[in-house]
Amino acid sequence: MGRRPTIKDIARRAGVSGSAVSFALNDRPGVSRETRARIRRVAEELGWRPDSAARALSGERVGAVGLVLARPAHTLGVESFFLQLVTGIQEALSAAGTPLLFQVVEDLDAECALYRSWWAERRVDGVLVVDPRTHDPRPALLAGLGLPAVSVGDPRPAPPLTSVWADDARAMAQVLDHLHALGHRRIVHVAGLPDLAHTARRIASLRTEARRRGLGPEEVRSVPTDYSDAEGAEATRRVLRAAQPPTALVYDNDVMAVAGAAVAAGLGIPVPSRLSLVAWDDSALCRVTHPRLTALVRDTAGFGRLAAEELLAVLAGGPPRARQAEQPRLEPRESTAPPPPAY
């Protein structure tokens, strides 16, 4: 047809009135079952889809949800976490017939501006909010707009947000349990972006677990980065060249862990006989690196599916709530071992 099919096109092809088409496509009474089926068959043949702008103007749901990532672009192309998360989100939304509007922006201000634009233009019915901040303006903004949302990663969301979250504090405790039992006393956590709430929880848990074992901040500490392989490598190089280098490194993602392993090899520091490495969030990278990296394993795609399902429940009128995802578990591999006696 060379243009978007309309209700008039469907009516002409089906041999019915425009009002009959409207009744059938909006699942309203006024047409017989046979006529409804014929109209929908014709609509499918013509490739007709509802006009989201028109539905928005009429106050109806537009049938789409949004996801915005405000991360440095160079950190997203190599990190498997978000690919797996979005895969899980898309699986749940596809099963419900709900499209995902996805956009990457430079910073939090741009993300907030996009929410205002999407809601003003009625582009989405709700949003999934990732990377909760320690001082986060988004919950208040979304509440003020009246834009339904699910926070991904916040155990205590500001009302009226629903949340799905994983216990980062317990996961870090597992890592410290493992390394401390092996005999490590000098441990550095190569952390992610410091203003992210989950980074803050991991750092706080590391300090708490270290104190519980009688270890001070000069022995166990965190070094923030931007999650990139470049900053992960630079942080690794810096701490390994210190007068008292760590005997174990814990990385906040797989990419930094692999980059750190390469730095150690370049400095002639064998893993794990002189240096143990642990990666947060297992991936194929952790399993193909030699030696294979000890890692925290979780179902990241399942985490995404849970987040999308919760947003669909909110849009269906469900009450706000917090849902805890599957607890990450540590899988020891060849990259961790007791430190050498001299250390």
Side-chain angles (χ1 to χ4, degrees):
M1 297 173 64
R3 58 179 176 81
R4 181 189 179 99
T6 66
I7 285 180
K8 288 183 179 179
D9 297 322
I10 299 170
R12 187 162 48 249
R13 175 79 67 88
V16 297
S17 67
S19 59
V21 174
S22 179
F23 291 153
L25 296 180
N26 289 290
D27 204 23
R28 293 172 180 161
V31 293
S32 68
R33 186 189 319 177
E34 294 78 11
T35 301
R36 187 186 308 274
R38 184 169 80 255
I39 290 170
R40 290 184 172 178
R41 185 172 61 252
V42 169
E44 184 67 26
E45 291 170 355
L46 293 176
W48 179 87
R49 294 293 182 272
D51 185 334
S52 59
R55 294 177 66 178
L57 287 172
S58 68
E60 297 183 44
R61 285 176 51 182
V62 297
V65 300
L67 171 64
V68 184
L69 291 184
R71 284 276 191 104
H74 67 279
T75 68
L76 294 174
V78 293
E79 190 174 2
S80 64
F81 173 82
F82 278 114
L83 176 60
Q84 295 177 48
L85 183 76
V86 173
T87 296
I89 290 170
Q90 188 60 48
E91 285 178 2
L93 294 179
S94 293
T98 302
L100 176 66
L101 186 57
F102 175 68
Q103 194 158 335
V104 178
V105 296
E106 287 296 319
D107 53 35
L108 204 59
D109 288 341
E111 180 177 346
C112 290
L114 192 57
Y115 290 145
R116 294 187 186 95
S117 173
W118 278 356
W119 192 235
E121 297 169 8
R122 294 299 188 265
R123 301 284 301 280
V124 296
D125 295 317
V127 293
L128 292 160
V129 181
V130 298
D131 284 344
R133 270 42 174 203
T134 51
H135 301 286
D136 202 328
R138 293 173 297 176
L141 169 66
L142 295 168
L145 292 174
L147 176 56
V150 168
S151 175
V152 182
D154 190 350
R156 294 179 297 275
L161 267 64
T162 281
S163 172
V164 297
W165 62 284
D167 195 336
D168 291 290
R170 281 182 59 196
M172 182 61 84
Q174 287 185 61
V175 173
L176 262 291
D177 281 341
H178 176 65
L179 294 175
H180 191 265
L182 289 173
H184 292 278
R185 300 298 181 267
R186 296 203 304 273
I187 302 166
V188 169
H189 168 216
V190 182
L193 294 162
D195 64 331
L196 297 181
H198 68 259
T199 303
R201 288 196 300 272
R202 294 175 189 181
I203 291 173
S205 177
L206 182 81
R207 291 171 179 165
T208 299
E209 296 299 323
R211 283 196 302 269
R212 194 163 66 84
R213 294 165 174 82
L215 303 175
E218 69 284 352
E219 297 165 298
V220 179
R221 60 193 177 92
S222 297
V223 177
T225 70
D226 67 355
Y227 283 110
S228 70
D229 57 332
E231 288 206 9
E234 176 54 33
T236 302
R237 192 173 293 108
R238 189 167 62 251
V239 300
L240 291 181
R241 285 175 171 167
Q244 290 289 313
T247 62
L249 292 170
V250 181
Y251 294 89
D252 259 4
N253 69 11
D254 55 343
V255 173
M256 293 197 298
V258 172
V263 168
L267 294 174
I269 301 173
V271 174
S273 59
R274 276 184 53 194
L275 178 68
S276 287
L277 303 178
V278 178
W280 209 287
D281 286 327
D282 188 29
S283 74
L285 280 177
C286 298
R287 298 188 292 274
V288 301
T289 299
H290 180 75
R292 296 187 310 152
L293 298 179
T294 294
L296 280 161
V297 178
R298 65 173 167 178
D299 182 4
T300 304
F303 192 37
R305 284 193 297 272
L306 178 62
E309 289 164 0
E310 285 301 306
L311 181 55
L312 292 172
V314 167
L315 296 177
R321 59 181 179 174
R323 292 278 308 278
Q324 184 174 353
E326 174 188 348
Q327 177 65 31
R329 60 177 176 81
L330 187 70
E331 182 166 322
R333 297 191 182 114
E334 294 89 350
S335 70
T336 49
Y343 288 77

